[in-house]
Amino acid sequence: MKFISLSSGSSGNCYYIGDEDVSVVIDAGISARSLKKSLSEYKINIESIDLILVSHDHADHVKHLASFAHKFNKPVVGTQKLFSALERNPYMRRDVRWTKHIIEKEIVFKYKNMEIIAFDVPHDSSDNVGFFISLKDHCFTFATDVGVVTNRLLDYCRISDHLIIESNYDEQMLSESLYPDYLVRRIRGGKGHLSNRQTSDALRLIVNKRLKNVFLCHLSDNNNTPEAAFRTSSEALSSSGEGFEINLFCLPRKNHMCYTL
């Protein structure tokens, strides 16, 4: 079982989850060429990808979706509202309706031995979802671009072995940044992104003996550091998870990293 962070941040987002039987890519914010090259370093043939899951329609998640889907003839999985938005997206130079597979939130989608549930996540996109993915005896919760932690997100986190969750910004760094006021309000406004503190507060609520790995994703280039994000979440896990063995990782913003689970 492998989880690969292929790119994680505002310059592009793309992730891989799979084993010898089934594999999916989540979002396509990097080029098919880069995706193919990175996967090959872990002896994964891009032709073996079964599905492309799409969390939402922002450019850093779908910029290369159409070219990837067409070049390798891969099904694209998302909500109807997402596909309607993609028809108007300037980065969708090719139509993906021919390869789309529509899923509904909170309804299990089964493919081979994988089960996927899309659930609502607040963000200022046309439609934004997280994914709860079950594969054999591994359960993942994937939540990037999260405006605020919801009870439903916490529910899925509590039944997961592996959690991929954003820890986008350090509150002090954002306050002292050169960002215009409207952008600061957007980031903080409940449909933007999670701060290190918000993520750590969520971790305190979901720590349990089942949770094995926490991957902090979508760290800001300008208003965060891996050290700050790691420290804040590590303190939360240490204070709430005494006696539990939980691994904590900050996913690299622009490089790829593979984790064998």
Side-chain angles (χ1 to χ4, degrees), residues 8-141:
S8 182
S10 57
S11 60
N13 293 273
C14 187
Y15 308 88
Y16 167 96
I17 294 173
D19 64 5
E20 67 276 6
D21 297 321
V22 61
S23 57
V24 301
V25 164
I26 304 174
D27 292 337
I30 61 173
S31 70
R33 181 179 180 181
S34 294
L35 176 58
K36 181 179 180 180
K37 181 177 183 297
S38 296
L39 288 176
S40 69
E41 295 187 28
Y42 306 107
K43 303 188 183 308
I44 298 170
N45 189 330
I46 196 170
E47 298 283 358
S48 70
I49 300 298
D50 292 294
L51 306 167
I52 311 168
L53 308 181
V54 185
S55 65
H56 64 292
D57 61 326
H58 283 169
D60 54 328
H61 296 259
V62 300
K63 187 174 183 179
H64 298 278
L65 174 63
S67 60
F68 177 34
H70 276 262
K71 185 173 184 178
F72 295 100
N73 192 29
K74 300 301 179 181
V76 178
V77 179
T79 65
Q80 179 60 64
K81 194 172 181 180
L82 169 74
F83 283 113
S84 297
L86 290 178
E87 292 177 16
R88 305 185 299 273
N89 193 299
Y91 288 101
M92 302 301 291
R93 296 183 178 91
R94 293 182 178 181
D95 189 356
V96 296
R97 285 178 294 181
W98 62 273
T99 189
K100 73 179 180 181
H101 183 95
I102 296 173
I103 56 173
E104 297 182 32
K105 295 175 185 177
E106 302 293 348
I107 302 297
V108 176
F109 166 55
K110 295 183 179 181
Y111 184 86
K112 295 184 178 178
N113 60 344
M114 179 179 281
E115 293 187 354
I116 301 165
I117 301 175
F119 59 93
D120 192 60
V121 173
H123 190 56
D124 56 1
S125 61
S126 298
D127 198 23
N128 201 77
V129 300
F131 294 106
F132 179 74
I133 301 172
S134 301
L135 180 54
K136 293 182 179 175
D137 56 348
H138 293 263
C139 291
F140 300 80
T141 290

Side-chain angles (χ1 to χ4, degrees), residues 95 159 216 254:
D95 189 356
I159 56 173
L216 304 179
K254 298 176 183 178

Side-chain angles (χ1 to χ4, degrees), residues 188-208:
R188 289 175 168 170
K191 291 190 175 181
H193 294 279
L194 292 182
S195 70
N196 294 339
R197 178 189 57 78
Q198 288 173 302
T199 301
S200 67
D201 287 346
L203 292 178
R204 288 188 175 90
L205 296 174
I206 59 118
V207 167
N208 62 77

Side-chain angles (χ1 to χ4, degrees), residues 147-173:
V148 66
V149 175
T150 64
N151 289 332
R152 196 60 179 142
L153 172 57
L154 293 175
D155 289 341
Y156 285 115
C157 291
R158 290 184 177 114
I159 56 173
S160 296
D161 306 287
H162 317 290
L163 171 60
I164 303 102
I165 187 170
E166 86 160 348
S167 189
N168 181 256
Y169 67 95
D170 175 85
E171 292 175 343
Q172 183 174 349
M173 289 181 67

